[in-house]
Short mmCIF file of all heavy atoms in Angstrom, two decimals:
data_model
loop_
_atom_site.label_atom_id
_atom_site.label_comp_id
_atom_site.label_asym_id
_atom_site.label_seq_id
_atom_site.Cartn_x
_atom_site.Cartn_y
_atom_site.Cartn_z
N ASN A 1 17.30 -8.37 19.20
CA ASN A 1 16.38 -8.57 18.03
C ASN A 1 14.92 -8.68 18.47
O ASN A 1 14.27 -9.54 17.86
CB ASN A 1 16.84 -9.78 17.25
CG ASN A 1 18.24 -9.55 16.62
OD1 ASN A 1 18.42 -8.42 16.12
ND2 ASN A 1 19.00 -10.52 16.56
N GLY A 2 14.43 -7.80 19.26
CA GLY A 2 13.03 -7.76 19.68
C GLY A 2 12.71 -8.83 20.78
O GLY A 2 11.54 -8.88 21.21
N ILE A 3 13.61 -9.51 21.37
CA ILE A 3 13.38 -10.39 22.44
C ILE A 3 14.04 -9.90 23.69
O ILE A 3 15.28 -9.67 23.77
CB ILE A 3 13.86 -11.83 22.10
CG1 ILE A 3 13.18 -12.36 20.89
CG2 ILE A 3 13.64 -12.77 23.32
CD1 ILE A 3 13.76 -13.67 20.32
N TRP A 4 13.23 -9.74 24.73
CA TRP A 4 13.80 -9.17 26.07
C TRP A 4 14.35 -10.35 26.75
O TRP A 4 13.79 -11.40 26.96
CB TRP A 4 12.66 -8.58 26.85
CG TRP A 4 12.20 -7.33 26.24
CD1 TRP A 4 11.05 -7.10 25.54
CD2 TRP A 4 12.93 -5.98 26.31
NE1 TRP A 4 11.01 -5.74 25.18
CE2 TRP A 4 12.11 -5.11 25.57
CE3 TRP A 4 14.13 -5.61 26.83
CZ2 TRP A 4 12.50 -3.72 25.38
CZ3 TRP A 4 14.47 -4.30 26.67
CH2 TRP A 4 13.67 -3.42 25.94
N LYS A 5 15.66 -10.12 27.27
CA LYS A 5 16.38 -11.18 27.98
C LYS A 5 17.09 -10.57 29.19
O LYS A 5 17.18 -9.35 29.33
CB LYS A 5 17.48 -11.76 27.04
CG LYS A 5 16.97 -12.46 25.81
CD LYS A 5 18.10 -12.90 25.05
CE LYS A 5 17.63 -13.64 23.81
NZ LYS A 5 18.78 -14.23 22.99
N ASN A 6 17.51 -11.43 30.08
CA ASN A 6 18.27 -11.02 31.30
C ASN A 6 17.56 -10.06 32.25
O ASN A 6 18.19 -9.09 32.71
CB ASN A 6 19.65 -10.43 30.89
CG ASN A 6 20.43 -11.40 30.00
OD1 ASN A 6 20.53 -12.59 30.32
ND2 ASN A 6 21.01 -10.90 28.91
N ALA A 7 16.30 -10.24 32.40
CA ALA A 7 15.53 -9.29 33.33
C ALA A 7 16.06 -9.48 34.76
O ALA A 7 16.18 -10.61 35.25
CB ALA A 7 14.02 -9.61 33.26
N LYS A 8 16.38 -8.32 35.37
CA LYS A 8 16.85 -8.25 36.68
C LYS A 8 16.13 -7.16 37.46
O LYS A 8 15.97 -6.05 36.95
CB LYS A 8 18.39 -7.94 36.70
CG LYS A 8 19.23 -9.08 36.03
CD LYS A 8 20.66 -8.64 35.99
CE LYS A 8 21.39 -9.66 35.20
NZ LYS A 8 22.82 -9.14 34.94
N PRO A 9 15.63 -7.49 38.70
CA PRO A 9 14.91 -6.50 39.38
C PRO A 9 15.86 -5.41 39.95
O PRO A 9 17.09 -5.64 40.18
CB PRO A 9 14.32 -7.24 40.57
CG PRO A 9 15.25 -8.43 40.78
CD PRO A 9 15.67 -8.75 39.42
N LEU A 10 15.43 -4.22 40.02
CA LEU A 10 16.20 -3.08 40.55
C LEU A 10 16.27 -3.28 42.05
O LEU A 10 15.34 -3.83 42.72
CB LEU A 10 15.61 -1.70 40.25
CG LEU A 10 15.65 -1.34 38.79
CD1 LEU A 10 15.15 0.11 38.57
CD2 LEU A 10 16.92 -1.65 38.01
N PRO A 11 17.42 -2.88 42.71
CA PRO A 11 17.68 -3.23 44.10
C PRO A 11 16.78 -2.50 45.10
O PRO A 11 16.70 -2.89 46.24
CB PRO A 11 19.17 -2.77 44.33
CG PRO A 11 19.40 -1.74 43.29
CD PRO A 11 18.60 -2.17 42.07
N PHE A 12 16.04 -1.56 44.65
CA PHE A 12 15.16 -0.79 45.58
C PHE A 12 13.73 -1.19 45.47
O PHE A 12 12.82 -0.63 46.07
CB PHE A 12 15.28 0.68 45.57
CG PHE A 12 15.49 1.16 44.12
CD1 PHE A 12 14.40 1.34 43.23
CD2 PHE A 12 16.72 1.52 43.59
CE1 PHE A 12 14.56 1.79 41.97
CE2 PHE A 12 16.93 1.93 42.34
CZ PHE A 12 15.84 2.14 41.47
N ASN A 13 13.48 -2.28 44.71
CA ASN A 13 12.17 -2.92 44.65
C ASN A 13 11.79 -3.48 46.09
O ASN A 13 12.61 -3.94 46.77
CB ASN A 13 12.02 -4.02 43.65
CG ASN A 13 12.02 -3.51 42.23
OD1 ASN A 13 11.62 -2.38 41.96
ND2 ASN A 13 12.40 -4.41 41.30
N SER A 14 10.46 -3.67 46.29
CA SER A 14 10.07 -4.31 47.54
C SER A 14 8.64 -4.73 47.40
O SER A 14 7.81 -4.21 46.64
CB SER A 14 10.16 -3.29 48.73
OG SER A 14 9.55 -3.83 49.88
N LYS A 15 8.32 -5.77 48.10
CA LYS A 15 6.91 -6.20 48.13
C LYS A 15 6.05 -5.35 49.05
O LYS A 15 4.79 -5.50 49.10
CB LYS A 15 6.80 -7.67 48.60
CG LYS A 15 7.41 -8.65 47.60
CD LYS A 15 7.37 -10.07 48.00
CE LYS A 15 7.97 -10.94 46.89
NZ LYS A 15 7.82 -12.38 47.22
N LEU A 16 6.66 -4.45 49.80
CA LEU A 16 5.97 -3.62 50.78
C LEU A 16 5.48 -2.26 50.14
O LEU A 16 4.77 -1.62 50.80
CB LEU A 16 6.88 -3.38 51.96
CG LEU A 16 7.37 -4.58 52.74
CD1 LEU A 16 8.27 -4.25 53.80
CD2 LEU A 16 6.19 -5.35 53.35
N TYR A 17 5.98 -1.95 49.00
CA TYR A 17 5.65 -0.66 48.35
C TYR A 17 5.87 -0.83 46.82
O TYR A 17 6.46 -1.73 46.31
CB TYR A 17 6.42 0.45 48.90
CG TYR A 17 7.88 0.30 48.85
CD1 TYR A 17 8.68 0.47 47.69
CD2 TYR A 17 8.57 -0.04 50.04
CE1 TYR A 17 10.02 0.32 47.68
CE2 TYR A 17 9.93 -0.16 50.05
CZ TYR A 17 10.73 0.00 48.92
OH TYR A 17 12.04 -0.16 48.90
N SER A 18 5.30 0.12 46.08
CA SER A 18 5.37 0.14 44.54
C SER A 18 6.53 1.00 44.12
O SER A 18 6.88 2.06 44.79
CB SER A 18 4.06 0.57 43.94
OG SER A 18 3.03 -0.32 44.16
N VAL A 19 7.19 0.59 43.10
CA VAL A 19 8.22 1.37 42.33
C VAL A 19 7.72 1.36 40.83
O VAL A 19 7.66 0.35 40.31
CB VAL A 19 9.56 0.78 42.59
CG1 VAL A 19 10.65 1.64 41.84
CG2 VAL A 19 9.93 0.60 44.04
N SER A 20 7.62 2.57 40.26
CA SER A 20 7.01 2.49 38.88
C SER A 20 7.52 3.77 38.10
O SER A 20 8.13 4.68 38.68
CB SER A 20 5.57 2.48 39.00
OG SER A 20 4.98 3.56 39.72
N ASN A 21 7.03 3.87 36.94
CA ASN A 21 7.16 5.07 36.05
C ASN A 21 8.56 5.51 35.85
O ASN A 21 8.87 6.78 36.16
CB ASN A 21 6.24 6.14 36.45
CG ASN A 21 4.77 5.66 36.55
OD1 ASN A 21 4.27 5.05 35.64
ND2 ASN A 21 4.02 5.95 37.63
N PRO A 22 9.48 4.76 35.44
CA PRO A 22 10.87 5.19 35.41
C PRO A 22 11.18 6.12 34.22
O PRO A 22 10.53 6.06 33.15
CB PRO A 22 11.69 3.89 35.19
CG PRO A 22 10.78 3.05 34.38
CD PRO A 22 9.40 3.36 34.99
N SER A 23 12.27 6.95 34.37
CA SER A 23 12.76 7.74 33.25
C SER A 23 14.24 7.88 33.56
O SER A 23 14.66 8.09 34.67
CB SER A 23 12.10 9.15 33.27
OG SER A 23 12.51 9.89 32.25
N VAL A 24 15.06 7.57 32.47
CA VAL A 24 16.51 7.58 32.62
C VAL A 24 17.06 8.78 31.81
O VAL A 24 16.64 9.15 30.77
CB VAL A 24 17.09 6.29 32.09
CG1 VAL A 24 18.60 6.32 32.13
CG2 VAL A 24 16.58 5.04 32.78
N ASN A 25 18.05 9.47 32.49
CA ASN A 25 18.66 10.68 31.76
C ASN A 25 19.33 10.24 30.57
O ASN A 25 19.55 9.05 30.29
CB ASN A 25 19.51 11.47 32.83
CG ASN A 25 20.74 10.76 33.11
OD1 ASN A 25 20.94 9.57 32.93
ND2 ASN A 25 21.69 11.46 33.73
N SER A 26 19.73 11.20 29.67
CA SER A 26 20.13 10.90 28.34
C SER A 26 21.55 10.26 28.32
O SER A 26 21.97 9.64 27.34
CB SER A 26 20.31 12.24 27.54
OG SER A 26 21.23 13.12 28.17
N ILE A 27 22.31 10.26 29.40
CA ILE A 27 23.63 9.63 29.41
C ILE A 27 23.63 8.33 30.34
O ILE A 27 24.75 7.81 30.60
CB ILE A 27 24.77 10.61 29.87
CG1 ILE A 27 24.43 11.19 31.22
CG2 ILE A 27 24.99 11.67 28.84
CD1 ILE A 27 25.62 12.11 31.79
N ASN A 28 22.40 7.91 30.66
CA ASN A 28 22.18 6.67 31.40
C ASN A 28 22.93 6.53 32.72
O ASN A 28 23.55 5.51 33.02
CB ASN A 28 22.63 5.47 30.42
CG ASN A 28 21.93 4.17 30.85
OD1 ASN A 28 20.77 4.27 31.25
ND2 ASN A 28 22.65 3.08 30.69
N THR A 29 22.93 7.66 33.43
CA THR A 29 23.60 7.72 34.77
C THR A 29 22.63 7.90 35.92
O THR A 29 23.11 7.77 37.08
CB THR A 29 24.68 8.79 34.73
OG1 THR A 29 24.12 10.07 34.57
CG2 THR A 29 25.79 8.45 33.75
N ILE A 30 21.37 8.27 35.64
CA ILE A 30 20.38 8.52 36.74
C ILE A 30 19.06 7.97 36.32
O ILE A 30 18.64 8.22 35.19
CB ILE A 30 20.30 9.98 37.10
CG1 ILE A 30 21.55 10.59 37.57
CG2 ILE A 30 19.24 10.20 38.19
CD1 ILE A 30 21.58 12.05 37.82
N VAL A 31 18.42 7.24 37.16
CA VAL A 31 17.04 6.79 36.94
C VAL A 31 16.11 7.58 37.87
O VAL A 31 16.48 7.60 39.10
CB VAL A 31 16.86 5.22 37.03
CG1 VAL A 31 17.28 4.68 38.38
CG2 VAL A 31 15.41 4.85 36.62
N TYR A 32 15.10 8.09 37.45
CA TYR A 32 14.07 8.68 38.20
C TYR A 32 12.88 7.84 38.21
O TYR A 32 12.57 7.22 37.20
CB TYR A 32 13.66 10.08 37.62
CG TYR A 32 14.83 11.07 37.62
CD1 TYR A 32 15.70 11.21 36.57
CD2 TYR A 32 15.02 11.96 38.72
CE1 TYR A 32 16.79 12.06 36.58
CE2 TYR A 32 16.07 12.92 38.74
CZ TYR A 32 16.93 12.97 37.60
OH TYR A 32 17.99 13.83 37.60
N PHE A 33 12.14 7.76 39.31
CA PHE A 33 10.99 6.87 39.42
C PHE A 33 10.01 7.34 40.48
O PHE A 33 10.36 8.23 41.32
CB PHE A 33 11.41 5.45 39.69
CG PHE A 33 12.23 5.31 40.97
CD1 PHE A 33 11.56 4.93 42.18
CD2 PHE A 33 13.53 5.47 40.97
CE1 PHE A 33 12.27 4.80 43.31
CE2 PHE A 33 14.36 5.36 42.19
CZ PHE A 33 13.66 5.00 43.28
N SER A 34 8.82 6.77 40.44
CA SER A 34 7.81 7.11 41.42
C SER A 34 7.68 5.95 42.39
O SER A 34 7.72 4.81 41.98
CB SER A 34 6.49 7.36 40.70
OG SER A 34 5.41 7.58 41.61
N SER A 35 7.43 6.32 43.64
CA SER A 35 7.25 5.27 44.72
C SER A 35 6.57 5.81 45.87
O SER A 35 6.64 6.96 46.18
CB SER A 35 8.62 4.64 45.05
OG SER A 35 8.48 3.67 46.00
N ASN A 36 5.86 4.88 46.49
CA ASN A 36 5.20 5.16 47.78
C ASN A 36 6.07 4.46 48.92
O ASN A 36 5.52 4.21 49.99
CB ASN A 36 3.82 4.72 47.87
CG ASN A 36 3.64 3.18 47.68
OD1 ASN A 36 4.48 2.52 47.20
ND2 ASN A 36 2.53 2.66 48.03
N MET A 37 7.35 4.40 48.77
CA MET A 37 8.22 3.76 49.77
C MET A 37 8.36 4.72 51.00
O MET A 37 8.10 5.90 50.89
CB MET A 37 9.57 3.49 49.22
CG MET A 37 10.42 4.65 48.83
SD MET A 37 12.13 4.27 48.31
CE MET A 37 11.88 3.40 46.85
N PRO A 38 8.69 4.09 52.16
CA PRO A 38 8.82 4.93 53.35
C PRO A 38 9.90 5.95 53.16
O PRO A 38 10.85 5.83 52.37
CB PRO A 38 9.25 3.91 54.33
CG PRO A 38 8.86 2.52 53.83
CD PRO A 38 8.86 2.70 52.39
N GLY A 39 9.75 7.15 53.84
CA GLY A 39 10.59 8.24 53.80
C GLY A 39 10.22 9.31 52.77
O GLY A 39 10.93 10.25 52.59
N GLY A 40 9.08 9.11 52.20
CA GLY A 40 8.51 10.14 51.27
C GLY A 40 7.84 11.29 52.02
O GLY A 40 7.65 11.26 53.14
N ILE A 41 7.39 12.23 51.14
CA ILE A 41 6.63 13.37 51.63
C ILE A 41 5.14 13.21 51.55
O ILE A 41 4.38 13.58 52.44
CB ILE A 41 7.04 14.63 50.83
CG1 ILE A 41 8.57 14.99 51.18
CG2 ILE A 41 6.21 15.85 51.17
CD1 ILE A 41 9.15 16.01 50.25
N GLY A 42 4.70 12.57 50.49
CA GLY A 42 3.26 12.30 50.21
C GLY A 42 3.03 10.86 50.04
O GLY A 42 3.73 9.97 50.50
N GLY A 43 2.01 10.54 49.18
CA GLY A 43 1.66 9.12 48.91
C GLY A 43 2.70 8.61 47.92
O GLY A 43 3.44 7.68 48.37
N ASN A 44 2.70 9.00 46.63
CA ASN A 44 3.72 8.65 45.78
C ASN A 44 4.64 9.83 45.52
O ASN A 44 4.17 10.94 45.31
CB ASN A 44 3.13 8.27 44.37
CG ASN A 44 2.47 6.90 44.43
OD1 ASN A 44 3.09 5.88 44.89
ND2 ASN A 44 1.20 6.82 43.99
N ASP A 45 5.94 9.66 45.64
CA ASP A 45 6.92 10.70 45.45
C ASP A 45 7.79 10.42 44.23
O ASP A 45 7.89 9.23 43.86
CB ASP A 45 7.73 10.91 46.69
CG ASP A 45 7.04 11.71 47.78
OD1 ASP A 45 5.89 12.17 47.60
OD2 ASP A 45 7.62 11.84 48.88
N ILE A 46 8.54 11.37 43.79
CA ILE A 46 9.59 11.20 42.78
C ILE A 46 10.91 10.99 43.49
O ILE A 46 11.25 11.74 44.41
CB ILE A 46 9.72 12.39 41.76
CG1 ILE A 46 8.32 12.67 41.16
CG2 ILE A 46 10.81 12.05 40.74
CD1 ILE A 46 7.74 11.51 40.36
N TRP A 47 11.63 9.88 43.13
CA TRP A 47 12.86 9.52 43.70
C TRP A 47 13.91 9.37 42.57
O TRP A 47 13.56 9.39 41.41
CB TRP A 47 12.75 8.14 44.37
CG TRP A 47 11.80 8.04 45.49
CD1 TRP A 47 10.45 8.01 45.39
CD2 TRP A 47 12.09 8.04 46.86
NE1 TRP A 47 9.83 8.07 46.63
CE2 TRP A 47 10.84 7.93 47.58
CE3 TRP A 47 13.26 7.93 47.63
CZ2 TRP A 47 10.81 7.89 48.95
CZ3 TRP A 47 13.15 7.88 48.93
CH2 TRP A 47 12.03 7.82 49.71
N LYS A 48 15.24 9.27 42.94
CA LYS A 48 16.21 9.07 41.89
C LYS A 48 17.26 8.14 42.52
O LYS A 48 17.40 8.02 43.69
CB LYS A 48 16.79 10.31 41.49
CG LYS A 48 17.76 10.94 42.43
CD LYS A 48 18.44 12.16 41.78
CE LYS A 48 19.42 12.83 42.81
NZ LYS A 48 20.22 13.94 42.25
#
């Protein structure tokens, strides 16, 4: 009813890099997001 509850961090968050700009597919089975985490190609990459 308009009140956000039960906030839980996603498991791939880190204090060492940023995770942002999520988008979830229509059947709620994949989350896409932007991050500068290690293992990327550039500065910020798209991950899933």
Side-chain angles (χ1 to χ4, degrees):
N1 293 319
I3 299 171
W4 290 103
K5 297 180 178 182
N6 304 315
K8 296 176 188 171
L10 296 189
F12 38 82
N13 286 338
S14 174
K15 292 182 180 181
L16 301 177
Y17 52 79
S18 292
V19 180
S20 61
N21 304 314
S23 185
V24 178
N25 69 347
S26 63
I27 56 173
N28 203 37
T29 58
I30 300 174
V31 60
Y32 297 88
F33 58 93
S34 177
S35 180
N36 62 341
M37 68 175 64
I41 294 171
N44 287 310
D45 283 355
I46 305 299
W47 298 74
K48 72 175 183 175

